[in-house]
Amino acid sequence: MLVAAGELTFVYRGLPITYPWGRPATQALESTDAAVREAGAGRDAPAFWGLKDHYYAEREAFSVDNVHERTEAYLASETDRDAAAVVEAAREKRHDDQVSVDTDAAERADAVATPTFFLFREGEFRTTITGAQSYDVFASALEL
Amino acid sequence: MSGALGRSLPGLPTGRADWRLMARTARLVLGGPGYAALALVASVAALSLFVLSLSLPLVEFALVSDLALGSRLTILVGLYPFLGPGFGVVQGVLLLVVAALTGVDVAMAVYHVREHDLSAGPGGGSSAASAGRWGRAAPPAGRRCWRACARCSGSGR
C-alpha cells in the first residue's frame, strides 16, 4: 500500500506471523483498505493506519476469540467506515488473497521477523533493517 | 541449603563467604588501572558483539557502503540499548549487566593467568583448565601479588 509518493514512499505489507490473531487482524486490515478504496477515499485515509496502530498499541488485549469484536468496536468509534460491513468481510475472508500475496512476498524476500524494512534509494536496494529503529537510522541509511 | 549445595557442588561458589570473596577479588583486580581498562574494553566488546550481531545486514551496510562518517556512526550507535529504540528498559539493563560481568570475568581470568604465570602450553594449564584452582595458587616469585586470591588473603576454602 502506498502511503505517500514524493521524496519518500512507504510500502506496507502485512506479515501475520507473531500472534495467532495476526491472520484475522490482517484480513480485517485488508478489508478496511478495500472499504476505503471503494469509498473513493485517498490512500492516506486514516482508517487503515489507525487500525494498524491500534493493533500494535493494544496487542496484549487481542486474541483469536476477540479480534473481530475489538476491530469492529475500534472502527465504529474511531473511523467513519461501516465497521460491521468491514468485519463481516474479514470474517468471510474476502480479502485473504491479498494477505497471501503479502506473505508470499515476505517468504520470497526471506523476511522472518516483524517489522522488517527493505530500504531502496532511486530504485536500488540499500539494506535491510529488522526491528524497531529510530528515524535517524532510516534517514542516515537513505541519506535523506 | 547452601551447605548441602556446596557439598554437592564443591567447585562452585555457593555460600555467602564465597560471594564475599569473589566480590573482594573482583574489586581488588579492577583496582588496577590496566585490569579496569581491560574490563571496560571487554564489556564494550561483549555488548557490541551481541547488539551488532542482531542487525548484521545493517552493520555491514554502515561499514562498507559509501556513507558519510556521521551517518555510519548514527546507524551503529542507534543499535545499542538506551541509544536506540531496539531494546526496552529491562532488556537494556540486563544487557549492560551481562556485558559488565563479562568484562569483569575477562579481567579476572587475565589476572589469574598473568599473576599466576599460567600458560596454554603443556603442563601449564589453560585459564579454563585452571579455573578450578582459582584462589589456591600463590603468585610466582618476583611477581606482584594483588592479594586478591584466597591463599594470599588467607581465607582459602
Side-chain angles (χ1 to χ4, degrees), chain A residues 102-114:
Chain A
D102 287 354
T103 55
D104 291 346
E107 186 175 346
R108 288 196 301 274
D110 290 329
V112 294
T114 59

Side-chain angles (χ1 to χ4, degrees), chain B residues 47-148:
Chain B
L47 181 64
S48 298
L49 277 174
F50 182 82
V51 300
L52 299 182
S53 67
L54 297 177
S55 301
L56 283 179
L58 185 58
V59 171
E60 180 184 8
F61 173 76
L63 293 177
V64 306
S65 64
D66 189 22
L67 286 176
L69 178 60
S71 296
R72 295 180 198 273
L73 292 177
T74 298
I75 293 173
L76 295 175
V77 168
L79 299 177
Y80 285 80
F82 301 113
L83 299 177
F87 301 97
V89 174
V90 174
Q91 284 179 307
V93 168
L94 288 176
L95 274 177
L96 292 180
V97 168
V98 170
L101 290 175
T102 302
V104 172
D105 198 26
V106 169
M108 291 175 72
V110 171
Y111 166 84
H112 186 59
V113 170
R114 290 189 70 228
E115 301 301 326
H116 293 171
D117 207 22
L118 302 175
S119 73
S126 66
S127 61
S130 64
R133 296 192 289 148
W134 175 261
R136 291 185 171 83
R143 300 296 296 272
R144 180 182 179 186
C145 179
W146 292 79
R147 296 184 60 79

Side-chain angles (χ1 to χ4, degrees), chain A residues 46-124:
Chain A
F48 177 92
W49 299 107
L51 180 58
K52 186 185 77 68
D53 290 346
H54 180 63
Y55 285 146
Y56 274 88
E58 303 293 331
R59 56 188 176 276
E60 300 301 332
F62 278 91
S63 69
V64 174
D65 294 332
N66 69 16
V67 60
H68 289 124
E69 287 75 11
R70 291 184 68 91
T71 298
E72 183 170 348
Y74 172 82
L75 291 173
S77 64
E78 302 295 332
T79 75
D80 56 359
R81 297 299 104 193
D82 184 344
V86 168
V87 171
E88 182 184 0
R91 287 183 189 276
E92 296 176 355
K93 304 178 182 177
R94 288 183 207 163
H95 304 96
D96 194 54
D97 288 349
Q98 188 55 46
V99 179
S100 296
V101 167
D102 287 354
T103 55
D104 291 346
E107 186 175 346
R108 288 196 301 274
D110 290 329
V112 294
T114 59
T116 296
F117 302 90
F118 297 96
L119 273 54
F120 294 81
R121 182 177 175 86
E122 296 172 355
E124 183 178 341

Side-chain angles (χ1 to χ4, degrees), chain A residues 1-5 8-19 21-33 37 43-45 47-57 98-103 105-106 111 113-118 120:
Chain A
M1 168 176 289
L2 299 177
V3 296
L8 182 68
T9 300
F10 180 67
V11 180
Y12 175 87
R13 289 185 183 274
L15 183 58
I17 58 174
T18 304
Y19 295 104
W21 52 271
R23 187 85 185 192
T26 307
Q27 290 162 347
L29 278 170
E30 294 294 349
S31 296
T32 302
D33 180 51
R37 283 187 281 107
R43 287 183 180 275
D44 58 347
F48 177 92
W49 299 107
L51 180 58
K52 186 185 77 68
D53 290 346
H54 180 63
Y55 285 146
Y56 274 88
Q98 188 55 46
V99 179
S100 296
V101 167
D102 287 354
T103 55
T114 59
T116 296
F117 302 90
F118 297 96
F120 294 81

